[in-house]
Amino acid sequence: MDFLKPRLIPMTRRRKIYEGKAKTLYEGPEPGTLIQHFKDDATAFNAQKHEIIDGKGVLNNRISEYIFNNLNAIGVPTHFIRRLNMREQLIREVEIIPLEVVVRNVAAGSLSTKLGIEEGTQLPRSIIEFYYKKDELNDPMVSEEHITAFGWATPQEIDDIMALAIRVNDFLSGLFLGVGIRLIDFKIECGRLWEGDMMRIVVADEISPDSCRLWDVKSNDKMDKDRFRKDMGGLVEAYTEVARRLGIMKDDEPVRTSGPKLVQ
Ligand code: UDP
């Protein structure tokens, strides 16, 4: 008898839309929405280096929620709707533009390596760079000429993306400086949000210490993913400190990474 068979598919099973290195996207509760799930996976150097860092996903979910909520509040459009639980947030489904948009205020990382500018040098002005999102090609840097010629975005969309990137940079620089943190550089991704026949470009993905370089103003200590890239350790402690300074977590609140465990 069919109805006596045990349910093989749990009620909670959701349709997976996409699985990335640090996040998974599931079908959302309503059309046009998705659930973004933050994993503990840390990857670098195009995923050649990979580790699970207990608690990272929970912290990034909270920090990204805080930043996107504030961006929405100051009128910078984003895909973010609300956080659902420790690791998940409800977002609007957008058509991701296949570019990583990097904004730099201070020389570090690949800019320092490629152009021989010492890490920590203040740049004469903020610089925006574009990288084509393609793992097989190691995300090569591309120019506006490439972007328009290959149809990844139109000239108008590039203008909108750059305007968003500058507004995000202004907001984040002030936010972090207010809590004793220097915003060295960061990466955003943008998407096309369709509302009927109308389309606008919004900030998508995440903004967290995984996608920013954050240095303590006084000590220059790194409070970001470079701790993993450079095998420095103390990543969860650094991300927790970022969350505490932003007032997201209380001073004595431990990072809860999972539900209660069964003690036998
Ligand atoms: N970034 C990122 N994802 C990437 C590449 C870079 O979030 O796939 C961020 C990185 O954390 C830093 C900024 O973008 O805040 C600039 O990174 P850079 O080009 O210096 O590359 P990296 O040295 O990290 O390879």
Side-chain angles (χ1 to χ4, degrees), residues 92-129:
R92 285 185 207 291
E93 184 170 23
V94 300
E95 208 178 279
I96 289 286
I97 293 166
L99 298 173
E100 301 208 331
V101 182
V102 169
V103 182
R104 302 180 183 275
N105 301 307
V106 175
S110 66
L111 179 98
S112 292
T113 317
K114 275 191 282 197
L115 303 184
I117 302 172
E118 196 190 343
E119 272 220 343
T121 310
Q122 186 78 37
L123 298 172
R125 60 176 176 81
S126 302
I127 295 174
I128 303 181
E129 299 171 345

Short mmCIF file of all heavy atoms in Angstrom, two decimals, residues 92-129:
data_model
loop_
_atom_site.label_atom_id
_atom_site.label_comp_id
_atom_site.label_asym_id
_atom_site.label_seq_id
_atom_site.Cartn_x
_atom_site.Cartn_y
_atom_site.Cartn_z
N ARG A 92 16.17 38.43 -3.17
CA ARG A 92 15.47 38.48 -4.45
C ARG A 92 16.32 37.80 -5.50
O ARG A 92 17.54 37.95 -5.52
CB ARG A 92 15.24 39.93 -4.87
CG ARG A 92 14.15 40.56 -4.09
CD ARG A 92 13.81 41.95 -4.54
NE ARG A 92 13.26 42.67 -3.43
CZ ARG A 92 12.07 42.40 -2.89
NH1 ARG A 92 11.30 41.46 -3.40
NH2 ARG A 92 11.65 43.08 -1.84
N GLU A 93 15.65 37.08 -6.37
CA GLU A 93 16.36 36.42 -7.46
C GLU A 93 16.77 37.47 -8.49
O GLU A 93 15.92 38.26 -8.94
CB GLU A 93 15.43 35.38 -8.11
CG GLU A 93 16.10 34.58 -9.19
CD GLU A 93 15.24 33.40 -9.64
OE1 GLU A 93 14.00 33.44 -9.48
OE2 GLU A 93 15.83 32.45 -10.17
N VAL A 94 18.04 37.52 -8.81
CA VAL A 94 18.51 38.47 -9.82
C VAL A 94 19.31 37.71 -10.87
O VAL A 94 19.71 36.57 -10.66
CB VAL A 94 19.39 39.60 -9.20
CG1 VAL A 94 18.62 40.40 -8.16
CG2 VAL A 94 20.68 39.03 -8.62
N GLU A 95 19.53 38.39 -11.99
CA GLU A 95 20.37 37.83 -13.05
C GLU A 95 21.78 38.35 -12.78
O GLU A 95 22.05 39.55 -12.94
CB GLU A 95 19.84 38.43 -14.35
CG GLU A 95 20.01 37.67 -15.60
CD GLU A 95 19.34 38.47 -16.72
OE1 GLU A 95 18.10 38.41 -16.87
OE2 GLU A 95 20.06 39.20 -17.42
N ILE A 96 22.65 37.47 -12.29
CA ILE A 96 23.98 37.92 -11.88
C ILE A 96 24.81 38.35 -13.11
O ILE A 96 24.86 37.64 -14.11
CB ILE A 96 24.72 36.80 -11.10
CG1 ILE A 96 24.10 36.60 -9.71
CG2 ILE A 96 26.22 37.10 -10.98
CD1 ILE A 96 24.42 37.70 -8.68
N ILE A 97 25.40 39.52 -13.03
CA ILE A 97 26.31 40.00 -14.07
C ILE A 97 27.66 39.33 -13.80
O ILE A 97 28.14 39.37 -12.66
CB ILE A 97 26.39 41.55 -14.03
CG1 ILE A 97 25.02 42.11 -14.43
CG2 ILE A 97 27.50 42.06 -14.92
CD1 ILE A 97 24.81 43.56 -14.14
N PRO A 98 28.27 38.67 -14.81
CA PRO A 98 29.43 37.81 -14.51
C PRO A 98 30.73 38.59 -14.27
O PRO A 98 31.75 38.32 -14.89
CB PRO A 98 29.53 36.93 -15.76
CG PRO A 98 29.01 37.80 -16.85
CD PRO A 98 27.93 38.65 -16.23
N LEU A 99 30.66 39.58 -13.36
CA LEU A 99 31.83 40.40 -13.07
C LEU A 99 32.04 40.48 -11.57
O LEU A 99 31.08 40.55 -10.81
CB LEU A 99 31.63 41.83 -13.59
CG LEU A 99 31.43 42.02 -15.09
CD1 LEU A 99 31.06 43.48 -15.38
CD2 LEU A 99 32.70 41.63 -15.85
N GLU A 100 33.32 40.48 -11.16
CA GLU A 100 33.65 40.84 -9.79
C GLU A 100 34.11 42.29 -9.86
O GLU A 100 35.01 42.62 -10.62
CB GLU A 100 34.77 39.96 -9.27
CG GLU A 100 34.39 38.48 -9.31
CD GLU A 100 35.08 37.65 -8.25
OE1 GLU A 100 36.20 38.01 -7.87
OE2 GLU A 100 34.49 36.65 -7.83
N VAL A 101 33.44 43.13 -9.10
CA VAL A 101 33.75 44.56 -9.12
C VAL A 101 34.56 44.86 -7.87
O VAL A 101 34.06 44.71 -6.75
CB VAL A 101 32.45 45.40 -9.14
CG1 VAL A 101 32.76 46.89 -9.21
CG2 VAL A 101 31.56 44.96 -10.31
N VAL A 102 35.82 45.22 -8.05
CA VAL A 102 36.72 45.47 -6.91
C VAL A 102 36.94 46.97 -6.77
O VAL A 102 37.20 47.65 -7.76
CB VAL A 102 38.07 44.72 -7.10
CG1 VAL A 102 39.10 45.18 -6.08
CG2 VAL A 102 37.87 43.22 -7.01
N VAL A 103 36.79 47.46 -5.55
CA VAL A 103 37.08 48.86 -5.26
C VAL A 103 38.27 48.88 -4.29
O VAL A 103 38.27 48.14 -3.30
CB VAL A 103 35.88 49.58 -4.61
CG1 VAL A 103 36.20 51.06 -4.35
CG2 VAL A 103 34.64 49.48 -5.50
N ARG A 104 39.27 49.70 -4.61
CA ARG A 104 40.48 49.77 -3.77
C ARG A 104 40.71 51.18 -3.27
O ARG A 104 40.62 52.14 -4.04
CB ARG A 104 41.71 49.37 -4.59
CG ARG A 104 41.62 47.99 -5.19
CD ARG A 104 42.88 47.71 -5.98
NE ARG A 104 42.81 46.40 -6.64
CZ ARG A 104 43.13 45.26 -6.06
NH1 ARG A 104 43.55 45.24 -4.81
NH2 ARG A 104 43.04 44.12 -6.73
N ASN A 105 41.03 51.29 -1.98
CA ASN A 105 41.40 52.57 -1.38
C ASN A 105 42.89 52.61 -1.04
O ASN A 105 43.52 53.66 -1.04
CB ASN A 105 40.57 52.83 -0.12
CG ASN A 105 39.08 52.85 -0.43
OD1 ASN A 105 38.64 53.58 -1.31
ND2 ASN A 105 38.30 52.02 0.25
N VAL A 106 43.41 51.43 -0.70
CA VAL A 106 44.80 51.29 -0.25
C VAL A 106 45.39 50.10 -1.01
O VAL A 106 44.69 49.11 -1.24
CB VAL A 106 44.83 51.02 1.28
CG1 VAL A 106 46.23 50.75 1.77
CG2 VAL A 106 44.19 52.18 2.06
N ALA A 107 46.65 50.17 -1.39
CA ALA A 107 47.28 49.07 -2.15
C ALA A 107 47.39 47.81 -1.30
O ALA A 107 47.80 47.87 -0.13
CB ALA A 107 48.65 49.49 -2.65
N ALA A 108 47.02 46.67 -1.87
CA ALA A 108 47.17 45.37 -1.21
C ALA A 108 46.95 44.28 -2.25
O ALA A 108 46.56 44.58 -3.39
CB ALA A 108 46.15 45.22 -0.07
N GLY A 109 47.19 43.05 -1.86
CA GLY A 109 46.87 41.89 -2.69
C GLY A 109 47.44 41.97 -4.09
O GLY A 109 48.60 42.34 -4.29
N SER A 110 46.57 41.64 -5.07
CA SER A 110 47.04 41.54 -6.45
C SER A 110 47.51 42.88 -7.02
O SER A 110 48.39 42.91 -7.88
CB SER A 110 45.94 40.94 -7.34
OG SER A 110 44.85 41.82 -7.43
N LEU A 111 46.98 43.98 -6.53
CA LEU A 111 47.44 45.30 -7.04
C LEU A 111 48.91 45.52 -6.65
O LEU A 111 49.73 45.92 -7.47
CB LEU A 111 46.58 46.44 -6.49
CG LEU A 111 47.04 47.82 -6.97
CD1 LEU A 111 46.21 48.27 -8.16
CD2 LEU A 111 46.97 48.85 -5.88
N SER A 112 49.23 45.19 -5.39
CA SER A 112 50.60 45.36 -4.92
C SER A 112 51.54 44.45 -5.69
O SER A 112 52.62 44.87 -6.11
CB SER A 112 50.68 45.03 -3.42
OG SER A 112 49.99 46.00 -2.70
N THR A 113 51.11 43.19 -5.89
CA THR A 113 51.96 42.22 -6.58
C THR A 113 52.20 42.64 -8.03
O THR A 113 53.33 42.66 -8.51
CB THR A 113 51.28 40.83 -6.56
OG1 THR A 113 50.74 40.61 -5.27
CG2 THR A 113 52.24 39.72 -6.92
N LYS A 114 51.07 42.99 -8.72
CA LYS A 114 51.19 43.25 -10.16
C LYS A 114 51.91 44.55 -10.48
O LYS A 114 52.67 44.63 -11.43
CB LYS A 114 49.79 43.28 -10.81
CG LYS A 114 49.29 41.89 -11.17
CD LYS A 114 48.05 41.95 -12.03
CE LYS A 114 46.84 42.26 -11.22
NZ LYS A 114 45.57 41.97 -11.85
N LEU A 115 51.64 45.59 -9.68
CA LEU A 115 52.19 46.90 -10.00
C LEU A 115 53.36 47.29 -9.10
O LEU A 115 53.92 48.38 -9.23
CB LEU A 115 51.09 47.98 -9.93
CG LEU A 115 49.88 47.74 -10.85
CD1 LEU A 115 48.91 48.91 -10.76
CD2 LEU A 115 50.30 47.53 -12.30
N GLY A 116 53.74 46.40 -8.19
CA GLY A 116 54.88 46.67 -7.32
C GLY A 116 54.68 47.85 -6.40
O GLY A 116 55.61 48.62 -6.15
N ILE A 117 53.45 48.01 -5.91
CA ILE A 117 53.18 49.10 -4.96
C ILE A 117 53.08 48.49 -3.56
O ILE A 117 52.33 47.53 -3.36
CB ILE A 117 51.87 49.83 -5.32
CG1 ILE A 117 51.97 50.39 -6.75
CG2 ILE A 117 51.56 50.95 -4.33
CD1 ILE A 117 50.67 50.96 -7.28
N GLU A 118 53.84 49.03 -2.64
CA GLU A 118 53.91 48.42 -1.32
C GLU A 118 52.55 48.35 -0.63
O GLU A 118 51.78 49.33 -0.68
CB GLU A 118 54.89 49.23 -0.45
CG GLU A 118 55.32 48.46 0.79
CD GLU A 118 56.09 49.33 1.78
OE1 GLU A 118 56.57 50.41 1.39
OE2 GLU A 118 56.17 48.92 2.95
N GLU A 119 52.26 47.20 -0.02
CA GLU A 119 50.99 47.03 0.71
C GLU A 119 50.85 48.15 1.74
O GLU A 119 51.80 48.46 2.46
CB GLU A 119 50.97 45.68 1.44
CG GLU A 119 50.44 44.55 0.60
CD GLU A 119 49.54 43.58 1.39
OE1 GLU A 119 49.56 43.59 2.64
OE2 GLU A 119 48.81 42.83 0.73
N GLY A 120 49.66 48.73 1.81
CA GLY A 120 49.41 49.76 2.82
C GLY A 120 49.55 51.17 2.26
O GLY A 120 49.24 52.13 2.96
N THR A 121 50.03 51.30 1.00
CA THR A 121 50.16 52.64 0.40
C THR A 121 48.78 53.17 0.05
O THR A 121 48.00 52.51 -0.65
CB THR A 121 50.99 52.57 -0.92
OG1 THR A 121 52.19 51.85 -0.66
CG2 THR A 121 51.29 53.95 -1.46
N GLN A 122 48.47 54.36 0.57
CA GLN A 122 47.18 55.01 0.25
C GLN A 122 47.16 55.33 -1.24
O GLN A 122 48.13 55.88 -1.77
CB GLN A 122 47.05 56.29 1.08
CG GLN A 122 45.71 56.99 0.97
CD GLN A 122 44.64 56.30 1.81
OE1 GLN A 122 44.90 55.82 2.90
NE2 GLN A 122 43.42 56.24 1.27
N LEU A 123 46.09 54.99 -1.94
CA LEU A 123 46.03 55.26 -3.38
C LEU A 123 45.62 56.72 -3.59
O LEU A 123 44.89 57.29 -2.77
CB LEU A 123 45.03 54.31 -4.04
CG LEU A 123 45.41 52.82 -3.93
CD1 LEU A 123 44.28 51.93 -4.42
CD2 LEU A 123 46.69 52.54 -4.71
N PRO A 124 46.06 57.32 -4.71
CA PRO A 124 45.73 58.74 -4.94
C PRO A 124 44.22 58.99 -5.01
O PRO A 124 43.74 60.06 -4.67
CB PRO A 124 46.40 59.07 -6.28
CG PRO A 124 46.89 57.78 -6.84
CD PRO A 124 46.95 56.78 -5.75
N ARG A 125 43.48 57.99 -5.49
CA ARG A 125 42.01 58.03 -5.41
C ARG A 125 41.52 56.59 -5.46
O ARG A 125 42.29 55.68 -5.79
CB ARG A 125 41.41 58.87 -6.53
CG ARG A 125 41.72 58.36 -7.92
CD ARG A 125 40.98 59.20 -8.98
NE ARG A 125 41.33 58.80 -10.32
CZ ARG A 125 40.81 57.77 -10.97
NH1 ARG A 125 39.92 56.98 -10.39
NH2 ARG A 125 41.17 57.51 -12.21
N SER A 126 40.24 56.40 -5.13
CA SER A 126 39.70 55.04 -5.17
C SER A 126 39.72 54.53 -6.60
O SER A 126 39.46 55.28 -7.54
CB SER A 126 38.28 55.01 -4.63
OG SER A 126 38.26 55.52 -3.32
N ILE A 127 40.04 53.24 -6.75
CA ILE A 127 40.16 52.64 -8.08
C ILE A 127 39.15 51.51 -8.20
O ILE A 127 39.00 50.71 -7.27
CB ILE A 127 41.59 52.07 -8.27
CG1 ILE A 127 42.62 53.20 -8.25
CG2 ILE A 127 41.69 51.25 -9.56
CD1 ILE A 127 44.06 52.73 -8.29
N ILE A 128 38.45 51.48 -9.32
CA ILE A 128 37.50 50.39 -9.57
C ILE A 128 38.10 49.48 -10.64
O ILE A 128 38.61 49.96 -11.65
CB ILE A 128 36.13 50.92 -10.06
CG1 ILE A 128 35.55 51.91 -9.04
CG2 ILE A 128 35.16 49.77 -10.30
CD1 ILE A 128 34.18 52.47 -9.41
N GLU A 129 38.04 48.17 -10.39
CA GLU A 129 38.53 47.19 -11.37
C GLU A 129 37.43 46.15 -11.63
O GLU A 129 36.61 45.88 -10.75
CB GLU A 129 39.74 46.43 -10.82
CG GLU A 129 40.94 47.26 -10.50
CD GLU A 129 42.02 46.48 -9.76
OE1 GLU A 129 41.74 45.37 -9.24
OE2 GLU A 129 43.13 46.99 -9.66
#
